[in-house]
Amino acid sequence: MVGNLLPGFCMLSSAHVVPTSVRRAPSWICSPSRSFMDLKALLSSLNDFASLSFAESWDNVGLLVEPSPPHTVNTLFLTNDLTEEVMEEALQKKADLILSYHPPIFRPMKYITWKTWKERLVIRALENRVAIYSPHTAYDAAPQGVNSWLAKGLGTCTTRPIHPSKAPNYPTEGTHRLEFSANHSQDLDKVMSAVKGVGGVSVTSFPARCDGEEHTRVSLNCTQKALMQVLAFLSQDRQLYQKTEILSLEKPLLLHTGMGRLCTLDESVSLATMIERIKRHLKLPHLRLALGVGRTLGHRMASNNCSFCFYLRSTGIQVYIAIIHSLQSKLWPCVLVLGAAFYKE
């Protein structure tokens, strides 16, 4: 469970913070005596904390199982992994919504039968009117999510995402910008009328000077479909077509949001000191450590390039603190610190 709540508490809405009781496996149950929310309203609150747009493209996040509406949530059950044993516990606690950090449904299902345990989870959830929601990498990337929490254990430092998240929407209408210049010998009114007649296009124009001549510069934002229509029109006039520029618009990067963190320490420390900080923060008695070539526990870490992430890339970084499920990388010059994903999550 992640967020800025006190340990042992979870939040059903911005107005209700209720104590939880810890059970076997990494699962918690939240059941306020007089509080309940409509499922859609609760999902909106969860999305306010960490937008699902933060999640990696390969991930399967959000509402995975939904009972027929309307569905009221009185009891929210939190777990790291939704297994059949955890489902049984959730049903005993009369849960209305299970928030599973890892998505129990990842690959498409062709059948919903009693054959496999994941299919049985879906059947039991629907039979008992229990919704299932998974945030996974959306919570990793969120500004106050897992990555940011891990960075707090390194000491005083500044951080930035290794792989920044992008905004869900483009800053302006459309996905492309097209610009062209028209001189006074061309029928500008006809050109403008034709361009504005294309759906999904916003048009602006302004005076410009090109090759010592006065021109009108036309700029328009448009969708992919509208772009092809505008180009088809401009191609009828060779002079216009030859002076056409096309830009592909990008969604803006979000500050403090994204996968991994690159941390710049205010002061250099020894590797041994860094290891102890990480152990204290994760509350782990041991960590798995792989020393790079020529590195020792007494080696001092420079006050830059201390990084941790959930995927590994060769970026010339001195220390990787990796909380991962599998290791597939060639990072021999680095120091690799592994913490179990179970404890991190």
Side-chain angles (χ1 to χ4, degrees), residues 91-125:
L91 295 181
Q92 290 176 4
K93 297 298 182 181
K94 302 187 184 303
D96 306 296
L97 170 64
I98 297 174
L99 193 154
S100 176
Y101 174 77
H102 290 120
I105 304 172
F106 199 82
R107 294 180 177 85
M109 291 182 172
K110 292 185 177 181
Y111 308 98
I112 304 296
T113 69
W114 206 248
K115 184 176 181 179
T116 67
W117 69 273
K118 290 195 174 186
E119 292 175 69
R120 292 194 292 271
L121 285 180
V122 175
I123 292 172
R124 298 204 70 190

mmCIF file of all heavy atoms in Angstrom, residues 91-125:
data_model
loop_
_atom_site.group_PDB
_atom_site.id
_atom_site.type_symbol
_atom_site.label_atom_id
_atom_site.label_comp_id
_atom_site.label_asym_id
_atom_site.label_seq_id
_atom_site.Cartn_x
_atom_site.Cartn_y
_atom_site.Cartn_z
ATOM 1 N N LEU A 91 -13.530 -12.584 0.784
ATOM 2 C CA LEU A 91 -14.954 -12.952 0.829
ATOM 3 C C LEU A 91 -15.426 -13.134 2.266
ATOM 4 O O LEU A 91 -16.560 -12.762 2.604
ATOM 5 C CB LEU A 91 -15.183 -14.233 0.022
ATOM 6 C CG LEU A 91 -14.923 -14.129 -1.490
ATOM 7 C CD1 LEU A 91 -15.203 -15.462 -2.178
ATOM 8 C CD2 LEU A 91 -15.760 -13.023 -2.123
ATOM 9 N N GLN A 92 -14.572 -13.701 3.116
ATOM 10 C CA GLN A 92 -14.940 -13.851 4.527
ATOM 11 C C GLN A 92 -15.150 -12.494 5.180
ATOM 12 O O GLN A 92 -15.991 -12.344 6.074
ATOM 13 C CB GLN A 92 -13.851 -14.634 5.257
ATOM 14 C CG GLN A 92 -13.761 -16.104 4.883
ATOM 15 C CD GLN A 92 -12.600 -16.804 5.570
ATOM 16 O OE1 GLN A 92 -11.891 -16.208 6.393
ATOM 17 N NE2 GLN A 92 -12.402 -18.084 5.254
ATOM 18 N N LYS A 93 -14.383 -11.509 4.731
ATOM 19 C CA LYS A 93 -14.510 -10.148 5.270
ATOM 20 C C LYS A 93 -15.579 -9.337 4.547
ATOM 21 O O LYS A 93 -15.730 -8.149 4.802
ATOM 22 C CB LYS A 93 -13.164 -9.421 5.157
ATOM 23 C CG LYS A 93 -12.043 -10.060 5.969
ATOM 24 C CD LYS A 93 -12.352 -10.062 7.446
ATOM 25 C CE LYS A 93 -11.205 -10.660 8.237
ATOM 26 N NZ LYS A 93 -11.510 -10.702 9.693
ATOM 27 N N LYS A 94 -16.301 -10.003 3.631
ATOM 28 C CA LYS A 94 -17.385 -9.341 2.886
ATOM 29 C C LYS A 94 -16.902 -8.099 2.140
ATOM 30 O O LYS A 94 -17.527 -7.024 2.163
ATOM 31 C CB LYS A 94 -18.555 -8.998 3.818
ATOM 32 C CG LYS A 94 -19.139 -10.209 4.546
ATOM 33 C CD LYS A 94 -20.381 -9.850 5.323
ATOM 34 C CE LYS A 94 -20.870 -11.070 6.097
ATOM 35 N NZ LYS A 94 -21.145 -12.230 5.208
ATOM 36 N N ALA A 95 -15.773 -8.236 1.465
ATOM 37 C CA ALA A 95 -15.218 -7.129 0.694
ATOM 38 C C ALA A 95 -16.093 -6.826 -0.519
ATOM 39 O O ALA A 95 -16.655 -7.731 -1.148
ATOM 40 C CB ALA A 95 -13.802 -7.474 0.249
ATOM 41 N N ASP A 96 -16.203 -5.558 -0.844
ATOM 42 C CA ASP A 96 -16.934 -5.116 -2.041
ATOM 43 C C ASP A 96 -15.965 -4.751 -3.166
ATOM 44 O O ASP A 96 -16.337 -4.761 -4.338
ATOM 45 C CB ASP A 96 -17.798 -3.896 -1.712
ATOM 46 C CG ASP A 96 -18.725 -4.157 -0.540
ATOM 47 O OD1 ASP A 96 -19.597 -5.030 -0.675
ATOM 48 O OD2 ASP A 96 -18.549 -3.500 0.498
ATOM 49 N N LEU A 97 -14.727 -4.401 -2.798
ATOM 50 C CA LEU A 97 -13.704 -4.048 -3.773
ATOM 51 C C LEU A 97 -12.360 -4.558 -3.276
ATOM 52 O O LEU A 97 -12.000 -4.352 -2.112
ATOM 53 C CB LEU A 97 -13.633 -2.524 -3.966
ATOM 54 C CG LEU A 97 -12.448 -1.985 -4.782
ATOM 55 C CD1 LEU A 97 -12.506 -2.489 -6.217
ATOM 56 C CD2 LEU A 97 -12.411 -0.464 -4.758
ATOM 57 N N ILE A 98 -11.634 -5.254 -4.151
ATOM 58 C CA ILE A 98 -10.281 -5.694 -3.847
ATOM 59 C C ILE A 98 -9.317 -4.836 -4.657
ATOM 60 O O ILE A 98 -9.408 -4.785 -5.883
ATOM 61 C CB ILE A 98 -10.071 -7.176 -4.198
ATOM 62 C CG1 ILE A 98 -10.991 -8.064 -3.352
ATOM 63 C CG2 ILE A 98 -8.618 -7.581 -3.991
ATOM 64 C CD1 ILE A 98 -10.950 -9.529 -3.741
ATOM 65 N N LEU A 99 -8.408 -4.140 -3.958
ATOM 66 C CA LEU A 99 -7.361 -3.386 -4.627
ATOM 67 C C LEU A 99 -6.100 -4.238 -4.554
ATOM 68 O O LEU A 99 -5.482 -4.352 -3.505
ATOM 69 C CB LEU A 99 -7.151 -2.022 -3.971
ATOM 70 C CG LEU A 99 -6.302 -1.018 -4.765
ATOM 71 C CD1 LEU A 99 -6.663 0.412 -4.388
ATOM 72 C CD2 LEU A 99 -4.806 -1.240 -4.546
ATOM 73 N N SER A 100 -5.725 -4.826 -5.683
ATOM 74 C CA SER A 100 -4.544 -5.677 -5.769
ATOM 75 C C SER A 100 -3.449 -4.914 -6.502
ATOM 76 O O SER A 100 -3.627 -4.546 -7.666
ATOM 77 C CB SER A 100 -4.882 -6.980 -6.521
ATOM 78 O OG SER A 100 -3.726 -7.770 -6.700
ATOM 79 N N TYR A 101 -2.326 -4.701 -5.811
ATOM 80 C CA TYR A 101 -1.233 -3.944 -6.437
ATOM 81 C C TYR A 101 -0.846 -4.569 -7.776
ATOM 82 O O TYR A 101 -0.769 -3.884 -8.791
ATOM 83 C CB TYR A 101 -0.043 -3.891 -5.477
ATOM 84 C CG TYR A 101 1.190 -3.261 -6.078
ATOM 85 C CD1 TYR A 101 1.282 -1.878 -6.224
ATOM 86 C CD2 TYR A 101 2.255 -4.041 -6.512
ATOM 87 C CE1 TYR A 101 2.404 -1.299 -6.783
ATOM 88 C CE2 TYR A 101 3.386 -3.469 -7.067
ATOM 89 C CZ TYR A 101 3.453 -2.095 -7.209
ATOM 90 O OH TYR A 101 4.561 -1.535 -7.779
ATOM 91 N N HIS A 102 -0.578 -5.870 -7.783
ATOM 92 C CA HIS A 102 -0.290 -6.563 -9.040
ATOM 93 C C HIS A 102 -1.597 -6.980 -9.703
ATOM 94 O O HIS A 102 -2.505 -7.475 -9.030
ATOM 95 C CB HIS A 102 0.569 -7.809 -8.810
ATOM 96 C CG HIS A 102 1.974 -7.500 -8.404
ATOM 97 N ND1 HIS A 102 2.525 -7.911 -7.215
ATOM 98 C CD2 HIS A 102 2.944 -6.785 -9.037
ATOM 99 C CE1 HIS A 102 3.779 -7.489 -7.124
ATOM 100 N NE2 HIS A 102 4.053 -6.792 -8.214
ATOM 101 N N PRO A 103 -1.721 -6.812 -11.011
ATOM 102 C CA PRO A 103 -2.964 -7.207 -11.694
ATOM 103 C C PRO A 103 -3.099 -8.723 -11.766
ATOM 104 O O PRO A 103 -2.232 -9.392 -12.337
ATOM 105 C CB PRO A 103 -2.815 -6.591 -13.096
ATOM 106 C CG PRO A 103 -1.342 -6.395 -13.272
ATOM 107 C CD PRO A 103 -0.758 -6.163 -11.922
ATOM 108 N N PRO A 104 -4.163 -9.285 -11.200
ATOM 109 C CA PRO A 104 -4.364 -10.737 -11.302
ATOM 110 C C PRO A 104 -4.714 -11.178 -12.718
ATOM 111 O O PRO A 104 -4.524 -12.338 -13.071
ATOM 112 C CB PRO A 104 -5.519 -11.006 -10.327
ATOM 113 C CG PRO A 104 -6.255 -9.708 -10.259
ATOM 114 C CD PRO A 104 -5.213 -8.637 -10.405
ATOM 115 N N ILE A 105 -5.231 -10.252 -13.513
ATOM 116 C CA ILE A 105 -5.505 -10.530 -14.924
ATOM 117 C C ILE A 105 -4.518 -9.710 -15.739
ATOM 118 O O ILE A 105 -4.538 -8.479 -15.699
ATOM 119 C CB ILE A 105 -6.940 -10.144 -15.309
ATOM 120 C CG1 ILE A 105 -7.942 -10.865 -14.415
ATOM 121 C CG2 ILE A 105 -7.212 -10.471 -16.777
ATOM 122 C CD1 ILE A 105 -9.379 -10.396 -14.611
ATOM 123 N N PHE A 106 -3.662 -10.392 -16.472
ATOM 124 C CA PHE A 106 -2.654 -9.679 -17.253
ATOM 125 C C PHE A 106 -2.786 -9.993 -18.740
ATOM 126 O O PHE A 106 -2.867 -9.104 -19.567
ATOM 127 C CB PHE A 106 -1.249 -10.038 -16.762
ATOM 128 C CG PHE A 106 -0.211 -9.048 -17.174
ATOM 129 C CD1 PHE A 106 -0.013 -7.879 -16.466
ATOM 130 C CD2 PHE A 106 0.561 -9.275 -18.308
ATOM 131 C CE1 PHE A 106 0.947 -6.953 -16.857
ATOM 132 C CE2 PHE A 106 1.521 -8.357 -18.707
ATOM 133 C CZ PHE A 106 1.705 -7.198 -17.982
ATOM 134 N N ARG A 107 -2.827 -11.257 -19.071
ATOM 135 C CA ARG A 107 -2.995 -11.656 -20.461
ATOM 136 C C ARG A 107 -4.468 -11.886 -20.754
ATOM 137 O O ARG A 107 -5.242 -12.244 -19.860
ATOM 138 C CB ARG A 107 -2.178 -12.917 -20.756
ATOM 139 C CG ARG A 107 -0.668 -12.699 -20.653
ATOM 140 C CD ARG A 107 0.101 -13.977 -20.948
ATOM 141 N NE ARG A 107 1.536 -13.741 -20.918
ATOM 142 C CZ ARG A 107 2.269 -13.771 -19.819
ATOM 143 N NH1 ARG A 107 1.684 -14.030 -18.650
ATOM 144 N NH2 ARG A 107 3.567 -13.539 -19.859
ATOM 145 N N PRO A 108 -4.889 -11.698 -22.018
ATOM 146 C CA PRO A 108 -6.304 -11.904 -22.366
ATOM 147 C C PRO A 108 -6.762 -13.322 -22.043
ATOM 148 O O PRO A 108 -6.006 -14.286 -22.187
ATOM 149 C CB PRO A 108 -6.331 -11.646 -23.879
ATOM 150 C CG PRO A 108 -5.128 -10.818 -24.156
ATOM 151 C CD PRO A 108 -4.089 -11.260 -23.175
ATOM 152 N N MET A 109 -8.005 -13.431 -21.596
ATOM 153 C CA MET A 109 -8.606 -14.733 -21.309
ATOM 154 C C MET A 109 -9.591 -15.095 -22.415
ATOM 155 O O MET A 109 -10.476 -14.304 -22.739
ATOM 156 C CB MET A 109 -9.338 -14.697 -19.968
ATOM 157 C CG MET A 109 -8.453 -14.577 -18.755
ATOM 158 S SD MET A 109 -9.415 -14.615 -17.221
ATOM 159 C CE MET A 109 -8.114 -14.695 -15.994
ATOM 160 N N LYS A 110 -9.421 -16.280 -22.969
ATOM 161 C CA LYS A 110 -10.351 -16.745 -24.002
ATOM 162 C C LYS A 110 -11.572 -17.423 -23.392
ATOM 163 O O LYS A 110 -12.631 -17.470 -24.013
ATOM 164 C CB LYS A 110 -9.638 -17.712 -24.944
ATOM 165 C CG LYS A 110 -8.564 -17.062 -25.808
ATOM 166 C CD LYS A 110 -7.990 -18.060 -26.809
ATOM 167 C CE LYS A 110 -6.973 -17.388 -27.721
ATOM 168 N NZ LYS A 110 -6.411 -18.344 -28.728
ATOM 169 N N TYR A 111 -11.386 -17.959 -22.196
ATOM 170 C CA TYR A 111 -12.480 -18.659 -21.531
ATOM 171 C C TYR A 111 -12.511 -18.250 -20.062
ATOM 172 O O TYR A 111 -11.486 -17.885 -19.484
ATOM 173 C CB TYR A 111 -12.295 -20.186 -21.601
ATOM 174 C CG TYR A 111 -12.046 -20.709 -22.992
ATOM 175 C CD1 TYR A 111 -10.753 -20.975 -23.428
ATOM 176 C CD2 TYR A 111 -13.104 -20.942 -23.873
ATOM 177 C CE1 TYR A 111 -10.506 -21.448 -24.703
ATOM 178 C CE2 TYR A 111 -12.873 -21.414 -25.147
ATOM 179 C CZ TYR A 111 -11.574 -21.669 -25.561
ATOM 180 O OH TYR A 111 -11.351 -22.135 -26.832
ATOM 181 N N ILE A 112 -13.673 -18.306 -19.466
ATOM 182 C CA ILE A 112 -13.828 -18.122 -18.026
ATOM 183 C C ILE A 112 -14.439 -19.412 -17.501
ATOM 184 O O ILE A 112 -15.663 -19.582 -17.465
ATOM 185 C CB ILE A 112 -14.719 -16.912 -17.688
ATOM 186 C CG1 ILE A 112 -14.167 -15.649 -18.341
ATOM 187 C CG2 ILE A 112 -14.790 -16.728 -16.166
ATOM 188 C CD1 ILE A 112 -12.804 -15.217 -17.845
ATOM 189 N N THR A 113 -13.589 -20.354 -17.128
ATOM 190 C CA THR A 113 -14.032 -21.663 -16.644
ATOM 191 C C THR A 113 -13.397 -21.915 -15.278
ATOM 192 O O THR A 113 -12.719 -21.049 -14.724
ATOM 193 C CB THR A 113 -13.604 -22.778 -17.615
ATOM 194 O OG1 THR A 113 -12.170 -22.920 -17.574
ATOM 195 C CG2 THR A 113 -14.022 -22.451 -19.043
ATOM 196 N N TRP A 114 -13.600 -23.112 -14.745
ATOM 197 C CA TRP A 114 -13.042 -23.468 -13.442
ATOM 198 C C TRP A 114 -11.667 -24.117 -13.599
ATOM 199 O O TRP A 114 -11.102 -24.649 -12.652
ATOM 200 C CB TRP A 114 -13.998 -24.417 -12.721
ATOM 201 C CG TRP A 114 -13.890 -24.363 -11.221
ATOM 202 C CD1 TRP A 114 -13.421 -25.341 -10.409
ATOM 203 C CD2 TRP A 114 -14.258 -23.283 -10.362
ATOM 204 N NE1 TRP A 114 -13.468 -24.947 -9.094
ATOM 205 C CE2 TRP A 114 -13.987 -23.669 -9.031
ATOM 206 C CE3 TRP A 114 -14.800 -22.002 -10.579
ATOM 207 C CZ2 TRP A 114 -14.233 -22.858 -7.940
ATOM 208 C CZ3 TRP A 114 -15.045 -21.207 -9.490
ATOM 209 C CH2 TRP A 114 -14.762 -21.626 -8.198
ATOM 210 N N LYS A 115 -11.078 -24.039 -14.787
ATOM 211 C CA LYS A 115 -9.864 -24.786 -15.085
ATOM 212 C C LYS A 115 -8.623 -24.196 -14.430
ATOM 213 O O LYS A 115 -7.791 -24.936 -13.890
ATOM 214 C CB LYS A 115 -9.668 -24.866 -16.603
ATOM 215 C CG LYS A 115 -8.482 -25.715 -17.031
ATOM 216 C CD LYS A 115 -8.410 -25.813 -18.546
ATOM 217 C CE LYS A 115 -7.229 -26.676 -18.987
ATOM 218 N NZ LYS A 115 -7.152 -26.796 -20.464
ATOM 219 N N THR A 116 -8.432 -22.878 -14.503
ATOM 220 C CA THR A 116 -7.228 -22.252 -13.958
ATOM 221 C C THR A 116 -7.594 -21.347 -12.791
ATOM 222 O O THR A 116 -8.720 -20.858 -12.674
ATOM 223 C CB THR A 116 -6.494 -21.421 -15.025
ATOM 224 O OG1 THR A 116 -7.314 -20.282 -15.385
ATOM 225 C CG2 THR A 116 -6.236 -22.256 -16.280
ATOM 226 N N TRP A 117 -6.581 -21.074 -11.948
ATOM 227 C CA TRP A 117 -6.868 -20.305 -10.735
ATOM 228 C C TRP A 117 -7.233 -18.858 -11.036
ATOM 229 O O TRP A 117 -8.048 -18.254 -10.322
ATOM 230 C CB TRP A 117 -5.690 -20.376 -9.766
ATOM 231 C CG TRP A 117 -4.440 -19.663 -10.191
ATOM 232 C CD1 TRP A 117 -3.436 -20.147 -10.956
ATOM 233 C CD2 TRP A 117 -4.067 -18.328 -9.850
ATOM 234 N NE1 TRP A 117 -2.450 -19.206 -11.133
ATOM 235 C CE2 TRP A 117 -2.795 -18.080 -10.455
ATOM 236 C CE3 TRP A 117 -4.658 -17.321 -9.090
ATOM 237 C CZ2 TRP A 117 -2.135 -16.869 -10.331
ATOM 238 C CZ3 TRP A 117 -4.000 -16.109 -8.968
ATOM 239 C CH2 TRP A 117 -2.753 -15.886 -9.575
ATOM 240 N N LYS A 118 -6.691 -18.286 -12.104
ATOM 241 C CA LYS A 118 -7.047 -16.907 -12.437
ATOM 242 C C LYS A 118 -8.483 -16.820 -12.954
ATOM 243 O O LYS A 118 -9.192 -15.852 -12.661
ATOM 244 C CB LYS A 118 -6.065 -16.342 -13.465
ATOM 245 C CG LYS A 118 -4.680 -16.099 -12.890
ATOM 246 C CD LYS A 118 -3.825 -15.219 -13.769
ATOM 247 C CE LYS A 118 -2.509 -14.870 -13.089
ATOM 248 N NZ LYS A 118 -1.701 -13.915 -13.848
ATOM 249 N N GLU A 119 -8.904 -17.811 -13.703
ATOM 250 C CA GLU A 119 -10.302 -17.840 -14.139
ATOM 251 C C GLU A 119 -11.223 -17.999 -12.939
ATOM 252 O O GLU A 119 -12.291 -17.366 -12.868
ATOM 253 C CB GLU A 119 -10.515 -18.993 -15.116
ATOM 254 C CG GLU A 119 -9.804 -18.824 -16.456
ATOM 255 C CD GLU A 119 -9.944 -20.047 -17.332
ATOM 256 O OE1 GLU A 119 -11.075 -20.308 -17.801
ATOM 257 O OE2 GLU A 119 -8.934 -20.746 -17.539
ATOM 258 N N ARG A 120 -10.816 -18.828 -11.979
ATOM 259 C CA ARG A 120 -11.639 -19.026 -10.783
ATOM 260 C C ARG A 120 -11.756 -17.744 -9.978
ATOM 261 O O ARG A 120 -12.796 -17.467 -9.366
ATOM 262 C CB ARG A 120 -11.059 -20.162 -9.933
ATOM 263 C CG ARG A 120 -11.170 -21.539 -10.573
ATOM 264 C CD ARG A 120 -10.899 -22.651 -9.581
ATOM 265 N NE ARG A 120 -9.509 -22.696 -9.143
ATOM 266 C CZ ARG A 120 -8.546 -23.385 -9.761
ATOM 267 N NH1 ARG A 120 -8.847 -24.095 -10.854
ATOM 268 N NH2 ARG A 120 -7.315 -23.388 -9.304
ATOM 269 N N LEU A 121 -10.686 -16.927 -9.968
ATOM 270 C CA LEU A 121 -10.773 -15.638 -9.282
ATOM 271 C C LEU A 121 -11.873 -14.767 -9.881
ATOM 272 O O LEU A 121 -12.650 -14.141 -9.154
ATOM 273 C CB LEU A 121 -9.428 -14.904 -9.376
ATOM 274 C CG LEU A 121 -8.269 -15.374 -8.504
ATOM 275 C CD1 LEU A 121 -7.042 -14.513 -8.769
ATOM 276 C CD2 LEU A 121 -8.632 -15.345 -7.026
ATOM 277 N N VAL A 122 -11.919 -14.709 -11.201
ATOM 278 C CA VAL A 122 -12.927 -13.891 -11.877
ATOM 279 C C VAL A 122 -14.323 -14.413 -11.567
ATOM 280 O O VAL A 122 -15.253 -13.643 -11.269
ATOM 281 C CB VAL A 122 -12.679 -13.876 -13.395
ATOM 282 C CG1 VAL A 122 -13.793 -13.122 -14.103
ATOM 283 C CG2 VAL A 122 -11.331 -13.247 -13.705
ATOM 284 N N ILE A 123 -14.492 -15.730 -11.627
ATOM 285 C CA ILE A 123 -15.809 -16.326 -11.361
ATOM 286 C C ILE A 123 -16.260 -16.013 -9.937
ATOM 287 O O ILE A 123 -17.397 -15.573 -9.708
ATOM 288 C CB ILE A 123 -15.749 -17.854 -11.580
ATOM 289 C CG1 ILE A 123 -15.541 -18.162 -13.061
ATOM 290 C CG2 ILE A 123 -17.038 -18.523 -11.073
ATOM 291 C CD1 ILE A 123 -15.280 -19.613 -13.361
ATOM 292 N N ARG A 124 -15.381 -16.214 -8.970
ATOM 293 C CA ARG A 124 -15.760 -15.977 -7.576
ATOM 294 C C ARG A 124 -16.039 -14.494 -7.315
ATOM 295 O O ARG A 124 -16.942 -14.151 -6.545
ATOM 296 C CB ARG A 124 -14.666 -16.477 -6.643
ATOM 297 C CG ARG A 124 -14.418 -17.977 -6.741
ATOM 298 C CD ARG A 124 -13.807 -18.512 -5.473
ATOM 299 N NE ARG A 124 -14.762 -18.511 -4.373
ATOM 300 C CZ ARG A 124 -14.443 -18.753 -3.096
ATOM 301 N NH1 ARG A 124 -13.176 -18.986 -2.781
ATOM 302 N NH2 ARG A 124 -15.349 -18.735 -2.155
ATOM 303 N N ALA A 125 -15.271 -13.619 -7.970
ATOM 304 C CA ALA A 125 -15.515 -12.189 -7.796
ATOM 305 C C ALA A 125 -16.899 -11.802 -8.314
ATOM 306 O O ALA A 125 -17.648 -11.076 -7.651
ATOM 307 C CB ALA A 125 -14.430 -11.386 -8.502
#
